[in-house]
């Protein structure tokens, strides 16, 4: 079977168009412009490129956006001060601190300092807790993007055997939790989470109807590890080299060439999950602006 390619770029584009229209309407009817600040510490090349893409998209959609670049050796105190400033800034509805942070900064302290009403990443424990019990909240962007991809790909999730590889707070844990919930249109699955302690990874991957791979290592899932007809969501973005022009060469956590021969559908890298993560961040920022303006929204 040659897999259908799930075109994350096209799906993201369609959703961004709707966000753009809603943003224009929000401005015209209520004088509210969604505001997003992205805070980058240091110069990790992957983080620099993600933050640039987030800023560019915010601008394209008509948001007010601010970029804060802090040096690698910035103190925790200074970063907390900056967060406090944006917690109080009425023009800013969403605060994003790009992860990972340098080792001398306590990531937990930083994430806890963001006002949960501006936590467009969905990483604050208030939002994580609400997500787990199925209350309206800011959903974390990559897991939310994966749900939308599965929906748009027409994938039957209810009752399916979903196997997630990876247990990070950003992807593995939340996506597993969302998919097991009785939520519509995507949820009600039987979910298994595999990780470095899993004894027999292939036993699990071989019985997956839907396989979500978020391990951060190139091509760890190969064609011989999956069953015919599986739907594969590849969250990995691994830099495996550079072109002569200096552009990063990317590949996923899945060996695309061998897995696509058995899968019924698969996300490419790049152009799969990545554009969806950014789009759901924009969606959260728009909802945050509506929340701030006291308008009906999807996060409260
Ligand atoms: N680093 C990798 N993914 C993410 C994300 O979704 N949000 C933030 N803030 N940092 C990240």
């Amino acid at each position: 079977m040659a897999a259908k390619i799930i075109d994350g770029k096209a799906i993201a584009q369609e959703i961004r168009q709707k966000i753009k229209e809603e943003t224009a309407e929000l401005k015209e009817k209520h004088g509210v412009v969604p505001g997003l600040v992205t805070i980058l510490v240091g110069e990790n090349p992957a983080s620099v490129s993600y933050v640039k893409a987030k800023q560019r998209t915010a601008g394209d959609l008509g948001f007010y956006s601010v970029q804060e670049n802090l040096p690698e050796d910035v103190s925790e105190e200074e970063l907390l001060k900056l967060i406090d400033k944006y917690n109080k800034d009425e023009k800013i509805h969403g605060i994003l601190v790009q992860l990972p942070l340098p080792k001398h900064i306590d990531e937990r302290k930083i994430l806890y300092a963001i006002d949960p009403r501006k936590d467009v990443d969905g990483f604050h424990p208030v939002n994580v807790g609400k997500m787990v019990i199925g209350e309206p909240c800011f959903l974390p962007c990559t897991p939310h993007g994966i749900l939308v991809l599965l929906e748009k790909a027409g994938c039957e999730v209810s009752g399916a055997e979903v196997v997630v590889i990876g247990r990070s707070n950003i992807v593995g844990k939340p996506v597993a939790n969302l998919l097991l919930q009785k939520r519509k249109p995507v949820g009600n699955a039987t979910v298994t989470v595999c990780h470095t302690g899993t004894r027999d990874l292939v036993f699990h991957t071989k019985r997956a109807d839907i396989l979500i791979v978020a391990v951060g290592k190139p091509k760890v899932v190969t064609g011989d590890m999956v069953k015919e007809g599986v739907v594969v969501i590849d969250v990995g973005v691994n830099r495996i080299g550079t072109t002569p022009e200096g552009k990063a060469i990317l590949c996923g956590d899945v060996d695309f060439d061998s897995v696509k021969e058995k899968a019924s559908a698969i996300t490419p890298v790049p152009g799969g999950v990545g554009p969806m993560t950014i789009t759901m961040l924009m969606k959260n920022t728009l909802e945050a602006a509506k929340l701030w303006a006291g308008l009906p929204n999807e996060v409260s």
Side-chain angles (χ1 to χ4, degrees):
M1 186 185 291
K4 174 177 124 181
I5 308 300
I6 303 173
D7 188 346
K9 210 170 155 186
I11 295 168
Q13 200 45 48
E14 189 189 310
I15 300 170
R16 285 180 198 182
Q17 187 53 36
K18 284 196 196 126
I19 296 174
K20 192 172 179 173
E21 286 163 17
E22 223 187 302
T23 299
E25 197 182 313
L26 188 65
K27 185 174 177 188
E28 197 184 302
K29 286 197 183 153
H30 302 280
V32 177
V33 178
L36 174 69
V37 60
T38 49
I39 303 174
L40 175 66
V41 181
E43 290 170 11
N44 174 312
S47 295
V48 169
S49 107
Y50 293 145
V51 164
K52 257 191 204 156
K54 288 168 186 177
Q55 278 294 319
R56 193 181 336 110
T57 310
D60 288 348
L61 299 183
F63 289 9
Y64 167 64
S65 67
V66 179
Q67 170 63 32
E68 290 280 1
N69 293 305
L70 302 177
E72 178 84 19
D73 62 354
V74 71
S75 69
E76 193 175 272
E77 198 187 337
E78 259 182 84
L79 181 52
L80 287 168
K81 243 195 239 163
L82 193 66
I83 291 170
D84 186 49
K85 174 182 137 183
Y86 287 112
N87 277 340
K88 292 174 181 149
D89 187 334
E90 297 212 339
K91 288 204 299 209
I92 292 294
H93 308 103
I95 301 172
L96 179 137
V97 179
Q98 188 65 29
L99 304 178
L101 289 169
K103 290 214 168 21
H104 68 278
I105 297 177
D106 182 348
E107 193 172 288
R108 232 168 42 130
K109 239 188 198 170
I110 301 304
L111 296 179
Y112 280 39
I114 297 171
D115 184 330
R117 293 166 301 178
K118 296 192 177 190
D119 172 35
V120 285
D121 252 331
F123 293 165
H124 191 286
V126 164
N127 285 309
V128 176
K130 285 182 176 177
M131 179 201 69
V132 169
I133 56 174
E135 277 188 29
C137 63
F138 292 108
L139 293 180
C141 304
T142 302
H144 195 187
I146 293 170
L147 298 193
V148 175
L149 284 178
L150 290 171
E151 179 194 347
K152 299 277 181 184
C155 184
E156 184 57 55
V157 177
S158 181
E161 290 290 334
V162 173
V163 174
V164 178
I165 315 182
R167 57 177 155 188
S168 68
N169 289 340
I170 296 183
V171 185
K173 277 187 219 159
V175 81
N177 187 275
L178 287 165
L179 285 168
L180 66 81
Q181 290 181 29
K182 238 181 182 174
R183 63 196 325 277
K184 285 187 176 163
V186 173
N188 206 33
T190 302
V191 183
T192 304
V193 182
C194 297
H195 45 74
T196 47
T198 299
R199 241 183 285 147
D200 188 350
L201 179 65
V202 178
F203 167 79
H204 294 288
T205 56
K206 274 203 165 154
R207 56 177 195 82
D209 300 318
I210 300 169
L211 182 62
I212 300 172
V213 191
V215 291
K217 290 200 186 96
K219 302 185 186 183
V220 292
V221 172
T222 48
D224 55 331
M225 294 169 67
V226 300
K227 76 173 179 190
E228 280 292 331
V230 63
V231 173
V232 179
I233 304 290
D234 187 352
V235 184
V237 183
N238 302 291
R239 296 170 166 242
I240 52 168
T242 8
T243 64
E245 300 79 43
K247 268 188 81 177
I249 302 170
L250 305 177
C251 86
D253 292 351
V254 172
D255 178 34
F256 185 82
D257 291 335
S258 65
V259 173
K260 81 172 191 312
E261 296 305 319
K262 285 173 94 177
S264 60
I266 185 168
T267 57
V269 177
V273 174
M276 291 303 292
T277 297
I278 298 179
T279 302
M280 302 332 284
L281 172 70
M282 300 303 140
K283 170 76 178 155
N284 278 350
T285 306
L286 172 62
E287 295 303 319
K290 290 196 251 170
L291 173 68
W292 179 84
L295 297 165
N297 62 77
E298 295 174 22
V299 291
S300 69

